[in-house]
Amino acid sequence: HWNLAVALLAMGAYSEGWREFEWRFRKANPVPSRPFSQPFWDGSELAVRTILLHAEQGFGDTIQFVRYVPLVVKRGGNVIIECQVETLRRLLHSLEGVAGIVVCGEPLPPFDCHLPLMSLPLLFGTTLETIPSQIPYLAAEPADVETWQQRLGPATAFRVGLVWFAK
């Protein structure tokens, strides 16, 4: 099922691919699932409920899949995002309509339902034509932009940036 999901998504067969992608929690080397007592969100109106959207894999996946957060915000309620590290929290603060952002390991605020970020495409019935494409959907803090503009100087030549994370 996992390999089928990867193949279907690569071919653009999103309806079937996202459904098979849910096998990531049951494959031989599964993505860890979160054992919350609160139910998975079913996509219904949130009204006064609070939803926790939690990161489940890498930083890049979190950055890519938070593009769905505005669709969740439109369903009402309070949206809380749990991300991996503080630097991502700083970036995710630019998402509009989010009630709060917590970093893994911090105490979670009370919530009524939850969903892994990477389950949002299935829940919203994503196809190639309906991938959320509001650009930009994230923005760096203005002070950070200014700091890096001063460090790098005027953009007069092609630049390449590398980031290295060491544990």
Side-chain angles (χ1 to χ4, degrees):
H1 288 276
W2 173 249
N3 291 335
L4 178 59
V6 172
L8 288 167
L9 292 171
M11 293 179 350
Y14 283 10
S15 293
E16 304 93 319
W18 290 122
R19 194 169 35 257
E20 294 292 328
F21 192 72
E22 292 300 301
W23 278 82
R24 68 193 181 277
F25 302 113
R26 297 181 299 230
K27 64 187 182 96
N29 183 20
V31 171
S33 60
R34 303 291 294 275
F36 296 122
S37 60
Q38 297 87 338
F40 283 104
W41 180 49
D42 62 4
S44 61
E45 290 297 319
L46 289 164
V48 296
R49 295 183 298 159
T50 296
I51 181 171
L52 173 69
L53 299 174
H54 45 93
E56 60 184 85
Q57 296 186 46
F59 298 162
D61 293 321
T62 299
I63 291 169
Q64 286 295 322
F65 287 85
V66 295
R67 71 178 58 236
Y68 285 86
V69 169
L71 297 176
V72 179
V73 169
K74 286 181 183 175
R75 302 281 170 102
N78 298 309
V79 177
I80 306 291
I81 299 173
E82 183 189 49
C83 65
Q84 297 93 325
V85 294
E86 181 63 34
T87 50
L88 269 181
R89 178 186 357 223
R90 291 182 59 217
L91 179 61
L92 299 182
H93 269 296
S94 63
L95 287 165
E96 290 188 32
V98 174
I101 301 171
V102 295
V103 174
C104 287
E106 294 179 348
L108 293 173
F111 59 95
D112 302 298
C113 56
H114 72 98
L115 199 70
L117 279 170
M118 295 178 77
S119 290
L120 288 168
L122 174 64
L123 192 132
F124 283 107
T126 302
T127 65
L128 283 172
E129 297 77 30
T130 63
I131 296 170
S133 58
Q134 174 73 27
I135 299 175
Y137 59 95
L138 293 172
E141 294 283 336
D144 292 339
V145 172
E146 177 64 29
T147 297
W148 281 101
Q149 284 177 338
Q150 289 176 7
R151 280 184 177 175
L152 297 174
T156 57
F158 181 72
R159 296 180 179 169
V160 175
L162 299 175
V163 177
W164 188 281
F165 290 97
K167 288 187 175 186

